Amino acid sequence: MPTLSYLSPAQFAHWRRHGYLVLERFASPEACDQLAARAAQLSAELAHERDQAVFSTTEQEHNSNAYFLSSGDKIRIFMEETDQKVVNKLGHALHNQDPVFRAFSYQENLFKVAADIGFSAPEIIQSMYIFKHPRVGGEVSAHQDSSFLYTEPRSCVGFWFAIEDATVENACLWVLPAGQHEVLRTRFVRDGHGGVAFRELDARPLPTEGYVPVEVPKGSLVIFHGNLPHYSEVNWSPRPRQAFTLHFIERDAVYPAENWLQRGE
Ligand code: FE2
């Protein structure tokens, strides 16, 4: 076992065995409230900008792709597919572009956890604020995050913060224990024509059975391996289920230019 600076030996063992780990109440309620308030403020500011960028011309699909593909080093707003008036998420560089999210993302304890689970030079590659609004917040079907943040060798780990209590009722995360051993099925890449596509690496579908709900109180941190299949359902409840996510990769790993997310010139 490595020398641990934040995790207990039992927590480390859980991580190694199951490919995910819950750190209850990692962040304070006040810190969560601060992120929620800032996210609401950013949403209000960005809604107009996005209407201009995406809906100002007849080339909406092209503009929508361009808006998405250029979000890697910016803060942008994305709406629910089922309701274009409801915000789905903000992404993908809150951790660098906003002072409130930056302070939260670069807190020392997070990097201690990253070191404990084996990172030698952890780098935050992506951040998202996910709203999962009541009765609208869309389903996210089973996937592996390394599909979206592919490196060689594989190094992606998701850090998911519950901004409020997450339960089965308000569509918490579901994870597949020991799913870190599942081989990566797809890569999400730029198609060379201004769009994106999934490239198949392994034709077997992800397992559909064996997932467990990760019900956690506000402020909890859920860490999960980039290969670990996970999903969340539609939030049919009257409560929101907001979350903030960070994805870490190893700085020295190869980050291909065809990955959908790029950080500008
Ligand atoms: Fe995910």
Side-chain angles (χ1 to χ4, degrees):
M1 183 174 298
T3 310
L4 300 172
S5 60
Y6 188 92
L7 300 180
S8 70
Q11 287 171 328
F12 179 77
H14 188 285
W15 162 257
R16 288 301 298 264
R17 182 160 177 211
H18 299 292
Y20 74 99
L21 177 66
V22 175
L23 299 174
E24 286 205 358
R25 298 184 172 85
F26 178 92
S28 69
E30 294 73 26
C32 293
D33 293 346
Q34 202 186 12
L35 295 192
R38 185 64 187 137
Q41 196 177 19
L42 285 167
S43 296
E45 289 170 19
L46 290 166
H48 178 69
E49 176 207 282
R50 179 252 181 200
D51 286 349
Q52 295 295 311
V54 179
F55 290 121
S56 58
T57 77
T58 52
E59 293 181 73
Q60 288 189 7
E61 189 185 341
H62 168 81
N63 289 339
S64 177
N65 272 336
Y67 186 76
F68 173 68
L69 286 176
S70 58
S71 67
D73 55 0
K74 300 181 185 69
I75 303 174
R76 292 199 147 160
I77 190 168
F78 301 95
M79 314 308 277
E80 290 290 348
E81 277 177 18
T82 53
D83 187 339
Q84 290 288 316
K85 289 190 173 57
V86 178
V87 184
N88 171 284
K89 67 183 172 193
L90 305 176
H92 289 93
L94 291 151
H95 60 292
N96 284 338
Q97 299 298 337
D98 180 78
V100 175
F101 282 96
R102 189 189 305 128
F104 184 88
S105 303
Y106 289 96
Q107 59 183 292
E108 196 181 350
N109 284 342
L110 268 186
F111 284 78
K112 284 185 181 173
V113 173
D116 282 354
I117 62 173
F119 275 98
S120 47
E123 175 177 358
I124 302 173
I125 182 75
Q126 169 184 274
S127 48
M128 296 187 283
Y129 192 91
I130 300 163
F131 289 89
K132 207 88 169 174
H133 281 298
R135 299 200 171 89
V136 183
E139 173 189 9
V140 180
S141 59
H143 64 279
Q144 299 164 296
D145 285 351
S146 282
S147 293
F148 301 92
L149 298 162
Y150 179 87
T151 64
E152 292 171 353
R154 229 74 72 233
S155 63
C156 170
V157 174
F159 284 63
W160 187 104
F161 301 89
I163 299 300
E164 49 212 331
D165 296 351
T167 65
V168 168
E169 193 217 357
N170 71 344
C172 66
L173 272 182
W174 290 69
V175 302
L176 183 67
Q180 74 274 26
H181 302 303
E182 292 289 336
V183 297
L184 191 62
R185 302 305 207 273
T186 59
R187 282 180 63 186
F188 191 62
V189 294
R190 295 178 176 229
D191 65 8
H193 307 286
V196 284
F198 283 99
R199 179 183 301 160
E200 188 176 278
L201 303 177
D202 187 304
R204 287 171 293 172
L206 288 174
T208 55
E209 307 275 308
Y211 292 81
V212 299
V214 187
E215 296 193 289
V216 292
K218 176 174 179 170
S220 299
L221 166 59
V222 185
I223 307 163
F224 49 98
H225 189 281
N227 280 29
L228 188 96
H230 59 285
Y231 69 89
S232 65
E233 297 182 332
V234 177
N235 179 12
W236 296 116
S237 83
R239 288 193 297 129
R241 196 234 64 195
Q242 301 188 46
F244 178 56
T245 69
L246 292 169
H247 283 88
F248 281 74
I249 60 170
E250 199 69 76
R251 180 168 297 136
D252 300 330
V254 173
Y255 189 83
E258 60 187 347
N259 281 4
W260 80 269
L261 183 144
Q262 298 294 330
R263 289 159 290 185
E265 280 70 52

